[in-house]
Amino acid sequence: MSSGVAPQHRTLRIVCRLAGTGVVAGVLAALIAFSTLGMLGVSARDGANWFQSVPADLSTPPVPQRSVILASDGSKIATFYYENRVDVPLNKVAPVMRKAIVAIEDNRFYEHGGLDIKGTIRALASNIAAGQVTQGGSGITQQYVKNLLLETASNSEERDSAVATTPARKVRELRMAVAMEKRYTKDQILERYLNIAYFGDGAYGVEAAARHYFGRSAATLTLPQAALLAGVVRYPFAYDPTVYPKTAVERRDTVLARMAQLHWVSKADASAAERAQLDLHVTSTPNGCVESSAPFFCDYVQREILTNPIFGSTADARKLLLQRGGLTIRTTLDSKMQRAAQRAVDHYVPQKNSSHKASAEVLVQPGTGAVKAMAVDRALGPSEKVGKTWVNFAADGDHGTSLGMQAGSTFKVFTLAAALDQGMAFGHRLYAPEHYAPTGLRACDGKYAGSTTSLSNAADGEGGRSFSLVTGTWNSVNTFFLNLEKQVGLCDTVKMAERLGMRRADGKPLEQVASFTLGANTVSPLRLAAAYAAFAARGRYCEPIVLSKITNANGRELKVPSAKCRQAIRKGVADGVNHVLRGVLTQGTAAGMGIGRPAAGKTGTVDDYSSAWFAGYTPDLASAVWVGDPRGGYAHPLRNVCLAGRCYGEVFGSDIPAPIWRETMLGALRGVPAHDFHSPPSEYYREGSGEDLVSVPSVVGMSASAARSRLAAAGFGVVTGSSVSSGYSRGTVASQSPGGGARVEPGTTVVIHLSRGAPSVPHPPSNPPGGPPTGGPPTIPPPTFPPIGDTAGNTPFGRLAGESGQAVRTGNG
């Protein structure tokens, strides 16, 4: 008995329901047939011409590709992506993979044009008969167009339009497919489709899918692997082998059966592939910096691209570039140096220490500004978890949200540099009282910047006596530098720091306060390392940079920020600073922290032990190390702290930061040839070397070799003067200048005179005429010595050293 519904009406109802799914619409099929086969009249010809014409706005913009960040040696640091995709040419896709995707998706792909009328009508008939969608009518070209419109949508409106279940959307796709077939070859279209298709579980494109599911490239896929991937494309979520392995295998076998049916593989090979185990080797591609080997350097690179207008006029444009642009980002990071820095900070300040203390270090190459390493003793992540933080303590706020830390005595170097720039000599002396109120200071705008608060030497050095530029720096005497800052001028000191790139970590100008020289400003290790690198580069300052080269997915090189290197201070001034700071590692607050090659540095201990620093360098590498408490240094000072099995009553810059620096430099510079600093201009010695006076040991009567050894061990130079007659044994020291016990500067050259023995005296005759013979021994006159110097102390070898600090010759200090 009839149901009361005519067959044609029932068919129309099914067609309408199918049209609602947006898969194969009977109306669209009729439109295609009508447009391409059955149109009559002028209007029909015009409609057909419109449909077949190439759209004016036809374009194939690049689809989202992942960006990769590389170290200077090419090793991968991190990957960024909106979609995990790696484009590959068709010849890098296994032939069996190409066959599998065409067999299951569009086996007539190489035979039909942009519209497969036969396939569409066949799919429509099958779906109507079944009353549901059983076959898709879209060919590979149409699927590519649909994916392209979706992937290149720049806003939600365009994305909605790309997936709308409307005839207008389908007509647009079909028209574009026709145009694509006119513009590109079949192989070019297939290549694009394989690179844009979604293969499930976050893998976009066949290359990313092959790596994700099987840990191999698309070029090496086997038959069962290729069939599995080809089967996933139709419904990536339903056939995801990581979630539904049984369904995925069934779908794989369907693909294999279709390939055998088309005689594209033998039945035997298809049967063998069906018996193969799924055998997945799923690997995830990290997205972002969290899993990076250099997470905080990576984070700095990411922020550099996201915040610098050179990479796009808007924040959204820069984000799209990083996540979708397929960038290859080559950086300045040196993998060996990064490992050395990370090991050192983790060694001395472990990530999960019970004291909650933290450490950060940055390495900068002098003369280039290249950041070679950036290490924080934390993992990148939420601060609520022990041993993690999102804050990059090594960088400024615009590259890591850090507000910086007070720099302590590391800032004294800018006052020293300003003093040398004004022509002050190494021997220039100032009295350093126990307490000092820095009054009379003026900022660069002329406003009073002094303070009536009395400052002392609680953390650095000791006062109550005079110091030279050299010894005041070696001992890091606070009141000496406050007095020196007043002599030099606060404004000149500030300008020196600014010339060397210093600024507050929050981006604001340096505060011009009386305690400027004591490091009252909050700065980052990155900025401090770059400033000290300028001294190593003989006054050439470079802005710190992390990017060396960037290319996009098409291989086009993008512009990257420049280091903007410039000669910030005179070479001689930098050489003078280097000379003084070398002594910090041998005779100053960081004595014993040498690294077996020429190096210089400065300790820093912030008021109340709120944090500690060390900034040091060689001609090849500069570094700045900070140690403190992220919760706030004044609330949680470096007192009664136990770290890495060692406890400290108070932590100075020489206690933890300097050893971190030393361990880092030993590892980072291993295998790098050592270079020496340049000697400072002689004008800086006009008041002596500036070193404290020491006593000359007496070597009179000693053998020449023993005398030389003793004087050299005491730090003196030795030259041999003319030999003299004396009562001392031949070849021993008859006299020395300066004499034993004299107070002179370290490194003074001592002149020794060797004995020729006693002078010969002629014997009188036994019976001298005019007198009786004598029976006693002959009388020997006392020895005579050549004059060593006149009353002014001048000698043939130069002026003798004395309390005035004048020296014949000085050592390196």
Side-chain angles (χ1 to χ4, degrees):
M1 186 173 178
S2 173
S3 63
V5 179
Q8 62 269 29
H9 293 159
R10 185 168 61 250
T11 300
L12 179 60
R13 187 178 300 166
I14 293 173
V15 169
C16 291
R17 183 155 51 111
L18 292 172
T21 67
V23 180
V24 179
V27 174
L28 293 176
L31 173 63
I32 297 167
F34 186 66
S35 299
T36 58
L37 301 176
M39 280 185 165
L40 299 174
V42 175
S43 61
R45 286 196 301 272
D46 290 344
N49 289 337
W50 169 84
F51 194 83
Q52 294 287 344
S53 64
V54 177
D57 61 347
L58 179 67
S59 64
T60 56
V63 295
Q65 294 189 56
R66 67 190 191 192
S67 296
V68 61
I69 300 178
L70 306 176
S72 59
D73 62 1
S75 58
K76 186 185 296 185
I77 298 173
T79 305
F80 287 89
Y81 55 83
Y82 172 75
E83 294 174 350
N84 181 23
R85 176 184 285 108
V86 181
D87 270 10
V88 290
L90 192 62
N91 61 10
K92 295 294 184 181
V93 179
V96 70
M97 180 67 220
R98 296 179 233 165
K99 291 180 180 179
I101 198 76
V102 173
I104 198 63
E105 291 297 316
D106 186 1
N107 67 284
R108 298 182 63 252
F109 171 66
Y110 282 93
E111 300 170 17
H112 63 70
L115 306 181
D116 185 6
I117 305 301
K118 180 178 178 181
T120 301
I121 294 175
R122 182 185 65 247
L124 175 64
S126 175
N127 293 336
I128 290 174
Q132 60 181 342
V133 177
T134 60
Q135 290 186 27
S138 297
I140 284 177
T141 305
Q142 295 172 48
Q143 292 181 49
Y144 167 63
V145 168
K146 180 180 180 180
N147 280 317
L148 181 67
L149 293 173
L150 180 61
E151 293 293 350
T152 58
S154 59
N155 53 54
S156 57
E157 184 180 345
E158 291 182 1
R159 283 189 289 272
D160 291 343
S161 176
V163 296
T165 55
T166 62
R169 190 266 297 176
K170 192 68 176 180
V171 169
R172 180 190 180 197
E173 287 180 8
L174 295 175
R175 186 171 179 236
M176 287 187 68
V178 171
M180 289 290 180
E181 292 273 354
K182 291 182 177 180
R183 175 170 292 184
Y184 302 110
T185 67
K186 289 289 188 178
D187 280 351
Q188 288 174 329
I189 293 172
L190 180 59
E191 176 184 300
R192 284 167 165 75
Y193 175 68
L194 285 169
N195 281 314
I196 203 173
Y198 181 52
F199 288 84
D201 204 29
Y204 290 82
V206 67
E207 179 69 16
R211 296 183 189 182
H212 176 67
Y213 290 117
F214 304 113
R216 64 197 314 169
S217 68
T220 62
L221 288 169
T222 63
L223 175 59
Q225 292 170 344
L228 180 78
L229 295 184
V232 169
V233 170
R234 175 63 63 180
Y235 299 115
F237 301 101
Y239 297 137
D240 184 342
T242 65
V243 181
Y244 307 108
K246 183 177 179 180
T247 305
V249 168
E250 291 174 354
R251 177 65 175 170
R252 178 198 69 181
D253 294 348
T254 298
V255 175
L256 292 169
R258 181 60 173 159
M259 294 177 74
Q261 182 184 18
L262 294 169
H263 304 292
W264 291 1
V265 297
S266 67
K267 290 185 178 180
D269 288 343
S271 297
E274 289 177 3
R275 293 192 297 270
Q277 297 294 317
L278 193 56
D279 195 25
L280 297 178
H281 296 281
V282 178
T283 57
S284 297
T285 300
N287 187 6
C289 298
V290 171
E291 297 181 54
S292 170
S293 57
F296 290 93
F297 181 88
C298 170
D299 185 65
Y300 189 97
V301 171
Q302 177 185 11
R303 293 174 187 270
E304 175 70 9
I305 294 175
L306 293 179
T307 60
N308 196 322
I310 198 173
F311 298 112
S313 58
T314 66
D316 286 343
R318 296 189 288 269
K319 184 177 180 180
L320 286 174
L321 177 66
L322 178 62
Q323 294 186 337
R324 295 169 173 253
L327 305 179
T328 298
I329 305 166
R330 297 188 180 276
T331 70
T332 59
L333 186 94
D334 184 297
S335 299
K336 181 184 73 172
M337 294 182 180
Q338 176 66 28
R339 288 192 296 270
Q342 195 66 58
R343 280 196 301 265
V345 297
D346 289 345
H347 175 201
Y348 285 94
V349 189
Q351 284 189 10
K352 298 182 179 180
N353 65 83
S354 59
S355 299
H356 303 286
K357 301 302 183 257
S359 180
E361 181 178 21
V362 177
L363 275 59
V364 175
Q365 185 178 52
T368 68
V371 178
K372 309 305 289 184
M374 183 179 290
V376 176
D377 74 319
R378 291 287 190 275
L380 191 63
S383 301
E384 295 77 18
K385 296 183 178 181
V386 179
K388 293 188 175 184
T389 183
W390 290 118
V391 180
N392 187 348
F393 302 124
D396 287 349
D398 58 356
H399 284 75
T401 69
S402 172
L403 297 179
M405 295 73 67
Q406 287 186 317
S409 295
T410 58
F411 252 48
K412 291 173 180 174
V413 71
F414 303 120
T415 311
L416 171 65
L420 294 173
D421 190 50
Q422 293 181 9
M424 291 188 189
F426 293 146
H428 183 78
R429 288 183 171 271
L430 292 172
Y431 183 72
E434 293 289 349
H435 301 276
Y436 185 86
T439 59
L441 298 176
R442 298 282 176 181
C444 292
D445 60 4
K447 294 181 179 179
Y448 178 71
S451 173
T452 57
T453 302
S454 181
L455 303 175
S456 66
N457 300 297
D460 295 280
E462 57 185 43
R465 63 187 180 92
S466 67
F467 294 86
S468 68
L469 287 187
V470 172
T471 57
T473 304
W474 288 356
N475 293 285
S476 195
V477 184
N478 288 351
T479 55
F480 171 84
F481 272 93
L482 288 167
N483 199 352
L484 182 63
E485 181 183 59
K486 184 174 182 179
Q487 272 206 1
V488 171
L490 173 60
C491 183
D492 282 359
T493 299
V494 172
K495 286 182 177 179
M496 176 59 70
E498 290 176 341
R499 283 157 63 183
L500 293 167
M502 291 310 305
R503 69 184 188 203
R504 282 169 45 179
D506 60 8
K508 296 179 181 179
L510 295 170
E511 291 183 321
Q512 301 182 30
V513 295
S515 57
F516 183 90
T517 190
L518 304 184
N521 278 275
T522 54
V523 300
S524 67
L526 175 68
R527 286 281 160 190
L528 196 64
Y532 273 69
F535 295 123
R538 305 191 72 198
R540 180 177 170 83
Y541 174 76
C542 301
E543 288 286 337
I545 57 171
V546 294
L547 303 174
S548 57
K549 182 180 180 181
I550 298 181
T551 53
N552 64 14
N554 296 324
R556 183 173 66 87
E557 190 169 337
L558 306 184
K559 185 178 180 180
V560 297
S562 165
K564 301 175 184 176
C565 297
R566 64 183 187 277
Q567 193 68 33
I569 59 176
R570 288 182 286 117
K571 292 181 179 180
V573 173
D575 294 337
V577 170
N578 299 338
H579 170 75
V580 175
L581 294 193
R582 289 185 71 169
V584 173
L585 294 170
T586 57
Q587 303 177 65
T589 53
M593 288 292 119
I595 56 175
R597 64 171 69 205
K602 183 70 188 74
T603 54
T605 307
V606 182
D607 192 30
D608 290 334
Y609 304 97
S610 60
S611 63
W613 293 75
F614 186 82
Y617 56 95
T618 73
D620 303 295
L621 190 64
S623 163
V625 180
W626 164 83
V627 175
D629 198 307
R631 299 171 298 175
Y634 286 101
H636 305 278
L638 295 171
R639 286 198 183 100
N640 302 316
V641 174
C642 293
L643 292 167
R646 182 176 178 182
C647 295
Y648 309 84
E650 299 95 10
V651 175
F652 292 84
S654 59
D655 291 326
I656 300 177
I660 290 175
W661 174 85
R662 183 176 187 274
E663 183 173 318
T664 296
M665 298 296 272
L666 289 173
L669 292 173
R670 186 174 294 116
V672 176
H675 297 94
D676 204 349
F677 295 103
H678 287 74
S679 298
S682 59
E683 65 187 72
Y684 290 137
Y685 290 100
R686 66 182 182 276
E687 296 179 38
S689 71
E691 301 180 32
D692 288 337
L693 302 182
V694 295
S695 294
V696 179
S698 176
V699 294
V700 173
M702 299 175 64
S703 68
S705 60
R708 292 190 184 94
S709 297
R710 183 174 181 185
L711 289 169
F716 295 95
V718 185
V719 296
T720 303
S722 58
S723 59
V724 297
S725 299
S726 75
Y728 292 99
S729 301
R730 184 180 182 85
T732 60
V733 178
S735 65
Q736 68 179 79
S737 176
R743 299 283 294 174
V744 299
E745 290 186 345
T748 295
T749 296
V750 178
V751 183
I752 59 174
H753 299 273
L754 303 181
S755 174
R756 292 196 299 263
S760 58
V761 180
H763 293 283
S766 58
N767 293 303
T774 60
T779 301
I780 301 175
T784 59
F785 299 97
I788 299 301
D790 56 22
T791 55
N794 293 311
T795 77
F797 306 100
R799 182 172 167 79
L800 288 175
E803 292 296 325
S804 66
Q806 298 288 348
V808 175
R809 188 170 64 194
T810 60
N812 292 329

